[in-house]
Amino acid sequence: MISFPVASRLAIALMAAGDVSIAATAMAETPQDSLRLDQIQIIGSHNSYHAGLDPAIRSRLLASAPDLVRELDYQHPPLAAQLDGGVRQLELDIYADTAGGRFASPHRPGVPEDVWPLSPSDQTIMRQPGFKVMHIPDIDQHATCQPLLQCLSQIREWSVAHPGHVPVFVILEVEQHNDITGGTEAEPFDAATFDALDSAIRSVFSPSQLLMPDDVRGEAPDLRSAILTKGWPSMGQARGKVVFLLDQRSDRSLYLRGHSALRGRVAFTNADPNAPDAAFTEMNDGPGGDIATLVRRHFLIRTRSDADTVEGRSGDVGRRDAMLASGAQIVSTDYPDSEPARWSGYHVGFLDNAAVRCNPVSAPADCQSRLIETPAKGDFHLERMIMVMRHGIRSPLAGQVPAGVGIAGGWPQWSGAPGDLTPHGALGMTALGTFDRVWMAQAGLIPAKACPSAGAVAVRANSSPRTIASAEAFVRGFMPGCSMTVMHKPSGQPDVLFSPLDADPARFDMSAIIPQLPDADRIFRAKGEALKLLGRVLDCGPASCGFLSAPAHVGVDATGHQLVLTGPVAQASSLSEALMLSYLDGKPLVQTPSGVLDVGDLGTLSALHAGMLEAVVRPRALAEPLSREMRARLLQDLRDEGGPAFRLYMGHDDTIGPLQTMLGFHFRVPGYAEDEIPIGSALGFAVYGNGTGERRIRVFIQSQTPQALRDLDGKALPVVLYPQVPGCTEPGGLCAPEVLAQDFSEVRRAER
């Protein structure tokens, strides 16, 4: 998810609510050479070398230190793979080993004779003198590169092969203690050890490959003065270089000894902003406001978006989004885009899969993210975007609330015809269009300040009034002041691309399909918590609310081509959606015997609508015929090298659900149940090319959260998720078009 500073958020909110025109000016294409390093933002990895706990050690630690095992339950691929995936900051924990052999006999803490074996190659390395890379001696020594010189060599080789990269920042965490009682003691550093560290770095990198304190200070009396008066060097001066940063503030005094203001040193210290050597400082826990203040004064800030696997397990993006919005130039994570958390899919990155973006606090207004880093030959860059979107907030359909079923205070009143897009829903779609325009302009797909050229944007909607109105509202935000015709069939005429069940019912032999569907009653018996909550919300007697305890059943009508739903798969699903629509539209909160029906309760209830999708939209037997035309169209779009930069299809939840089945993935938008397809959400396909005819595709889900859509105040922008699509296993979740074509023709079960 891209986050913007308060000013940009307010601009988005205002643009969504009013008429804003785009001036007809050309988009610059020159590289951003004048942009300073303190005016960019990159993603870094925390403990980048971490290869994960040895399985044997992990099993032994589980019994004695389960919390520690939980904190250490992450790992990264090799350094070069992370850099290929867009990471531009690496972190290495280093231990001095002047004599060699200090870490060659890892053992159970407190029991030196209980040695944990190393491989012969690791034994050889550990016996040699020199700096070693690891997390915790004895229990967590496994690294993807060893010793330090090998790690540095891997970084240098990648840098040489990608000369146009933004600087790669390497954070060195100097370890001088082992906090595990009874473990191998760490070797203390002294001034000579730091001299040896500088020498080790210089033995791998030439001066022209490094950006060092002397380069930044120039003629200024100290680093702080240089930073405050002119900031960090420009991209033109720093592109292709490597920058070393010391992690521990306690290392400053030794590292500065004999090197006033870091003269002659390789690395920048983690300094108090008031110190003479201040150019870089760490604020791993924020707060965001304090970070932004220092960013505006040109200091380089490193922060962390997550820690100890907490966010990776919960999926909570609050800290991540706050740190991205703070303007910290380096945002470190255990879960870069190419390495989403296996528990929740949590990840940290930028929407266009870029390695760098314009800093949301300090970058000039004309900054263009896609022009900051010069791609290496063969690198993939974003070329086109395709989205299949669900319409915006609508009023309940006719019959969606059964007769005799009420709620405390009565159901809200809605203007317009049943099922129409509401005024608030139109504002939500316009805000979504504005958001997509901002980041697609940053990615270079459309002009930032001019109307897109003819044919650069194509929008097609289903023929229902709400999908047409949703598409038109989206276009008002995406192309304000520009001429754009939304393509659609005459209102009410079924369009087989979106509604094959209405346009071509004869293809659906429901008598043959129903035996292939899952047991709807089993699905809804598993929704007991949501059904009980719905029962507490509704005001109705047994005759009207008998569906809550009735079996869920899927049958066929007299024509043999339509399904007939009874029990909770019909009424409970419809009512839960009606309650969500009321909340999203800003209606008064519903009262229940236990209090207000809040957004958390609505998320629980959304499992009932998701259950309906699971029963009669996403099963393979229906997903294949429901998505046949759309899959063929999308494959054509993905292969069309001359197609529009952005193509949008505005449909329904049963447009997206079948495609999800064919791709074989699951997802969960915050505030909703798993696999619920929220109002205004989209299934997206980002198409990347490398200039040699090769293409790669990245699948994503975009959605507003319930609270954000209700409030529409610009404080929370849409969430973007990158589901794990089988076959899309390249860095960043990319896959070749032929893999996606196969997924569209074969069902694959996503691992739950």
Side-chain angles (χ1 to χ4, degrees):
M1 173 180 174
I2 284 188
S3 297
F4 295 89
V6 173
S8 295
R9 292 174 185 272
L10 180 59
I12 286 176
L14 292 174
M15 292 169 74
D19 293 327
V20 180
S21 297
I22 300 178
T25 57
M27 180 171 58
E29 292 292 339
T30 55
Q32 308 280 278
D33 282 349
S34 62
L35 199 68
R36 300 191 312 270
L37 292 194
D38 54 284
Q39 295 175 318
I40 67 173
Q41 188 174 62
I42 62 168
I43 303 301
S45 58
H46 166 248
N47 289 352
S48 312
Y49 58 87
H50 198 246
L53 284 172
D54 177 273
I57 296 175
R58 184 181 188 278
S59 64
R60 297 182 70 169
L61 286 176
L62 270 174
S64 58
D67 290 343
L68 178 61
V69 172
R70 182 183 177 91
E71 292 177 11
L72 301 179
D73 193 9
Y74 66 94
Q75 62 188 71
H76 294 294
L79 302 183
Q82 294 181 58
L83 293 167
D84 284 340
V87 165
R88 291 295 178 267
Q89 170 261 303
L90 301 169
E91 181 179 25
L92 304 175
D93 291 359
I94 58 174
Y95 289 79
D97 189 10
T98 304
R102 177 178 288 269
F103 307 105
S105 300
H107 59 269
R108 183 155 62 95
V111 189
E113 61 274 13
D114 188 0
V115 176
W116 290 334
L118 291 176
S119 68
S121 60
D122 284 345
Q123 279 279 355
T124 300
I125 292 171
M126 288 299 181
R127 290 195 182 103
Q128 297 172 355
F131 296 98
K132 305 302 191 298
V133 176
M134 69 187 79
H135 191 210
I136 304 172
D138 301 314
I139 67 172
D140 195 12
Q141 291 194 182
H142 286 262
T144 60
C145 55
Q146 195 72 265
L148 173 64
L149 289 178
Q150 185 192 69
C151 302
L152 299 181
S153 296
Q154 291 178 6
I155 297 169
R156 181 199 62 204
E157 290 168 7
W158 185 91
S159 177
V160 170
H162 301 78
H165 69 79
V166 298
V168 172
F169 295 89
V170 181
I171 296 176
L172 300 176
E173 183 169 357
V174 172
E175 301 286 1
Q176 304 190 58
H177 306 282
N178 186 352
D179 295 330
I180 304 298
T181 303
T184 299
E185 290 296 328
E187 178 181 330
F189 274 58
D190 56 22
T193 316
F194 278 114
D195 289 343
L197 177 59
D198 274 9
S199 296
I201 296 171
R202 292 182 190 275
S203 73
V204 175
F205 295 94
S206 68
S208 64
Q209 294 173 317
L210 296 171
L211 181 67
M212 295 179 283
D214 290 344
D215 302 318
V216 176
R217 186 190 320 98
E219 300 300 320
D222 54 50
L223 270 174
R224 184 175 185 273
S225 299
I227 291 299
L228 292 176
T229 56
K230 62 181 181 180
W232 281 73
S234 69
M235 283 302 308
Q237 298 168 309
R239 190 176 281 113
K241 295 182 183 290
V242 178
V243 185
F244 284 88
L245 310 168
L246 292 185
D247 178 71
Q248 301 288 356
R249 188 164 290 182
S250 58
D251 297 333
R252 286 182 60 246
S253 58
L254 278 177
Y255 196 67
L256 284 166
R257 187 174 297 174
H259 298 271
S260 175
L262 292 175
R263 286 177 173 82
R265 280 301 195 189
V266 171
F268 294 84
T269 49
N270 173 9
D272 183 287
N274 294 313
D277 54 318
F280 160 71
T281 192
E282 291 191 355
M283 300 180 69
N284 288 333
D285 300 313
D290 291 353
I291 291 175
T293 297
L294 291 177
V295 168
R296 293 187 182 97
R297 298 173 68 194
H298 313 316
F299 289 104
L300 189 75
I301 311 296
R302 184 262 190 143
T303 191
R304 290 183 63 182
S305 58
D306 46 81
D308 301 331
T309 75
V310 172
E311 288 80 7
R313 294 175 188 275
S314 69
D316 184 359
V317 298
R319 175 175 174 175
R320 177 194 73 179
D321 294 347
M323 294 303 98
L324 285 169
S326 74
Q329 293 89 350
I330 302 172
V331 181
S332 298
T333 177
D334 288 325
Y335 311 101
D337 263 359
S338 56
E339 306 170 51
R342 67 179 185 273
W343 306 282
S344 66
Y346 172 90
H347 63 95
V348 182
F350 306 133
L351 273 180
D352 55 356
N353 207 35
V356 59
R357 73 165 177 173
C358 302
N359 191 289
V361 169
S362 60
D366 60 352
C367 177
Q368 295 182 53
S369 296
R370 73 184 186 96
L371 299 178
I372 298 175
E373 182 169 271
T374 306
K377 185 177 181 180
D379 281 356
F380 287 97
H381 59 277
L382 187 64
E383 291 184 339
R384 291 180 289 122
M385 185 69 63
I386 303 164
M387 289 188 190
V388 182
M389 188 174 290
R390 187 183 180 190
H391 58 77
I393 305 167
R394 60 164 173 80
S395 58
L397 301 171
Q400 184 161 2
V401 177
V405 177
I407 57 175
W411 289 97
Q413 297 298 308
W414 299 80
S415 60
D420 276 358
L421 184 73
T422 69
H424 189 80
L427 287 176
M429 295 306 294
T430 301
L432 194 59
T434 303
F435 168 77
D436 284 333
R437 178 174 65 81
V438 169
W439 79 261
M440 286 191 204
Q442 285 281 348
L445 290 186
I446 61 171
K449 297 181 179 180
C451 292
S453 59
V457 177
V459 180
R460 178 171 172 177
N462 194 18
S463 54
S464 67
R466 63 178 172 275
T467 51
I468 296 170
S470 293
E472 291 172 344
F474 180 93
V475 168
R476 287 196 292 274
F478 192 78
M479 298 171 55
C482 302
S483 176
M484 177 73 206
T485 300
V486 174
M487 304 301 295
H488 58 84
K489 289 185 177 296
S491 181
Q493 178 180 326
D495 187 339
V496 71
L497 187 65
F498 298 94
S499 302
L501 191 55
D502 296 323
D504 185 18
R507 82 166 63 164
F508 295 88
D509 181 357
M510 292 303 183
S511 296
I513 289 175
I514 284 179
Q516 303 177 59
L517 301 182
D519 183 348
D521 195 48
R522 177 192 58 79
I523 292 172
F524 276 83
R525 282 199 304 271
K527 313 291 183 186
E529 179 185 0
L531 287 170
K532 288 179 182 178
L533 175 59
L534 184 61
R536 294 195 296 270
V537 172
L538 299 179
D539 180 13
C540 53
S544 300
C545 281
F547 62 85
L548 289 171
S549 56
H553 183 262
V554 178
V556 61
D557 74 352
T559 70
H561 302 306
Q562 299 287 343
L563 296 176
V564 177
L565 311 183
T566 57
V569 68
Q571 291 96 329
S573 168
S574 294
L575 287 164
S576 68
E577 186 181 45
L579 290 165
M580 178 65 82
L581 290 168
S582 175
Y583 176 84
L584 297 178
D585 203 55
K587 306 295 186 189
L589 296 176
V590 175
Q591 296 291 327
T592 72
S594 58
V596 172
L597 187 70
D598 61 22
V599 68
D601 294 329
L602 288 164
T604 299
L605 290 176
S606 71
L608 299 174
H609 187 262
M612 181 275 294
L613 297 176
E614 182 182 357
V616 296
V617 172
R618 292 195 293 107
R620 162 73 175 183
L622 280 168
E624 194 283 327
L626 284 173
S627 64
R628 188 176 300 157
E629 281 77 16
M630 184 60 79
R631 282 184 287 123
R633 180 61 58 88
L634 289 171
L635 286 175
Q636 178 182 328
D637 293 339
L638 293 170
R639 292 165 176 159
D640 183 7
E641 297 181 10
F646 175 54
R647 186 184 290 277
L648 173 67
Y649 295 100
M650 187 66 70
H652 308 266
D653 50 5
D654 59 4
T655 310
I656 297 173
L659 296 172
Q660 178 194 351
T661 292
M662 303 307 290
L663 290 170
F665 68 82
H666 298 275
F667 70 96
R668 183 172 188 170
V669 173
Y672 292 93
E674 184 179 36
D675 288 331
E676 169 66 324
I677 300 172
I679 288 287
S681 62
L683 169 62
F685 303 87
V687 182
Y688 297 84
N690 65 356
T692 65
E694 289 187 88
R695 296 287 184 276
R696 293 294 184 271
I697 298 166
R698 191 186 201 194
V699 178
F700 65 90
I701 294 288
Q702 174 183 279
S703 179
Q704 294 154 304
T705 64
Q707 186 73 55
L709 190 48
R710 177 181 173 89
D711 294 343
L712 281 184
D713 57 6
K715 292 181 179 178
L717 298 178
V719 172
V720 176
L721 306 173
Y722 300 105
Q724 298 183 25
V725 178
C728 295
T729 57
E730 297 185 26
L734 301 180
C735 59
E738 53 268 23
V739 173
L740 204 63
Q742 186 179 24
D743 282 345
F744 265 160
S745 60
E746 297 177 3
V747 163
R748 302 185 183 192
R749 293 184 181 274
E751 293 185 4
R752 301 301 294 263

